[in-house]
Amino acid sequence: MKKLVYYLFVLQLAISWWSCADFIEPDLSDSTVQLISPPDSFSTNLETVTFLWEQTEDVLKYQLQVVQPDFVTPLAFVLDSSVTDDRFVYSLAPGNYQWRVLGKNSNTSTQYQTFNLTVTQDSILTNQIVNLLSPGDNSTTNNSTVSFLWQLLSAADSYRIQCASPDFSNSTFLVFNESLSTDNYSTSLPDGEYRWRVRAENGQGESAYSEFGFSLDTQAPVAPVLVAPANATTVTSPVNLSWTFAADVVQDSVYVYSDSLATLVESDVVTSTPYSFSNGMTDSTYYWRVRSFDAGGNTSPFSDTWKFTIQ
């Protein structure tokens, strides 16, 4: 009997250790993010640069830094950006640079790897690319005043910005067509699907257009409709809460109260239904309601409030 108790104790310790190990993040301090492009000591006349590195295991995000001319004696800290992807696009004026990347998880980070980069002057825009910033490609906004933003090119004297709805396949779809010397343009637009593009221009020529698409949606989705458990019914724990929502909804917030909307017991943001409520007490009554959010960040009204009692 004592042996059995001992073995069970050891087994419990092992299970506890394995469970804890699942939540212990690996130490990244001895690893390095491998840079890919531009390669070390690369020289280019293209001002819009795509920085690319290898995805590193157990890394949650990356820190990309760019300085001019180097990290020993930096005269300008050009970029210090947190990135979740393995690439980042940025436009650099002609000059000498160093760039580096480290990976991070919640508690540790890798070592930096550093590459050199030279961007040379080129007055011909044919091979240049305008880096569009906002609205991002395939994004959705709920602000009817849209601010368009891009990065400047050193050889450009002006920029041609165009916007069409839903696209540029027909000239009648053109919403505006402006020539500007700045890196931004703002205007009010109605709800709809849009494409926008920018090219750089000077006395010798022009770049190709860079193009993004976005949606403008200022309309709140309709309130979700509660389905189960039926209002004022008695149920067993855990309780599966289900509801229906509009087609444009991307997530819902569900709220459970211990009395009529006075004391919040539990809330969560979910992307599907049903939602399992397991923290209820027996012989207790709870109230719940839901509201929805669309891709533009618009919020629906609350659903009706229903109640249930856990037996």
Side-chain angles (χ1 to χ4, degrees):
M1 182 66 181
K2 290 183 178 179
K3 286 186 177 181
L4 178 59
V5 172
Y6 172 78
Y7 288 140
L8 290 174
F9 176 72
V10 172
L11 179 60
Q12 185 177 12
L13 285 178
I15 292 173
S16 299
W17 183 87
W18 286 325
S19 299
C20 292
D22 289 339
F23 297 97
I24 297 175
E25 290 184 314
D27 187 349
L28 300 174
S29 58
D30 291 330
S31 59
T32 304
V33 176
Q34 298 302 308
L35 307 186
I36 299 175
S37 181
D40 194 19
S41 301
F42 186 69
S43 180
T44 179
N45 62 0
L46 299 181
E47 295 185 22
T48 299
V49 180
T50 299
F51 297 97
L52 178 65
W53 53 91
E54 288 185 0
Q55 288 277 8
T56 304
E57 188 176 5
D58 301 315
V59 166
L60 300 178
K61 61 182 178 180
Y62 301 89
Q63 196 70 29
L64 167 65
Q65 296 181 336
V66 181
V67 298
Q68 190 178 27
D70 55 53
F71 287 101
V72 177
T73 55
L75 299 180
F77 219 101
V78 179
L79 183 64
D80 187 10
S81 184
S82 181
V83 185
T84 56
D85 202 358
D86 60 358
R87 66 195 63 211
F88 192 83
V89 180
Y90 198 78
S91 294
L92 299 172
N96 295 317
Y97 299 88
Q98 280 190 336
W99 67 285
R100 64 187 186 183
V101 177
L102 64 73
K104 300 178 179 179
N105 58 26
S106 300
N107 299 305
T108 62
S109 60
T110 69
Q111 301 176 37
Y112 275 113
Q113 184 178 25
T114 302
F115 276 4
N116 296 288
L117 172 66
T118 299
V119 178
T120 60
Q121 182 73 52
D122 185 4
S123 60
I124 299 174
L125 292 172
T126 306
N127 294 322
Q128 299 294 336
I129 300 170
V130 178
N131 185 30
L132 305 184
L133 298 178
S134 179
D137 198 19
N138 300 316
S139 64
T140 302
T141 178
N142 62 0
N143 191 340
S144 59
T145 300
V146 182
S147 296
F148 299 90
L149 181 64
W150 58 93
Q151 283 192 278
L152 299 176
L153 296 174
S154 64
D157 297 325
S158 62
Y159 299 87
R160 174 70 57 181
I161 176 172
Q162 297 179 335
C163 182
S165 180
D167 54 44
F168 290 101
S169 61
N170 191 307
S171 60
T172 62
F173 296 160
L174 201 63
V175 177
F176 62 79
N177 179 20
E178 300 288 343
S179 179
L180 308 164
S181 59
T182 60
D183 61 357
N184 63 88
Y185 179 74
S186 296
T187 190
S188 295
L189 296 172
D191 285 11
E193 300 292 325
Y194 295 91
R195 303 290 297 178
W196 70 287
R197 61 188 186 184
V198 178
R199 74 182 182 197
E201 302 174 343
N202 63 17
Q204 301 181 54
E206 60 198 30
S207 72
Y209 277 108
S210 298
E211 184 176 324
F212 276 0
F214 71 97
S215 300
L216 175 57
D217 178 13
T218 61
Q219 302 301 309
V222 297
V225 177
L226 305 187
V227 174
N231 192 24
T233 55
T234 300
V235 295
T236 58
S237 183
V239 185
N240 287 325
L241 308 176
S242 63
W243 59 93
T244 61
F245 47 84
D248 59 342
V249 167
V250 296
Q251 63 184 28
D252 298 291
S253 287
V254 55
Y255 303 85
V256 182
Y257 306 83
S258 62
D259 47 46
S260 187
L261 306 185
T263 305
L264 183 65
V265 174
E266 184 169 305
S267 65
D268 204 354
V269 177
V270 297
T271 56
S272 62
T273 177
Y275 175 78
S276 180
F277 173 65
S278 58
N279 291 328
M281 305 290 289
T282 57
D283 300 321
S284 298
T285 299
Y286 295 90
Y287 298 78
W288 67 291
R289 62 180 181 173
V290 182
R291 64 178 175 182
S292 299
F293 302 85
D294 63 20
N298 300 300
T299 306
S300 78
F302 275 107
S303 68
D304 293 337
T305 300
W306 282 8
K307 66 179 181 178
F308 57 87
T309 299
I310 298 178
Q311 64 182 13

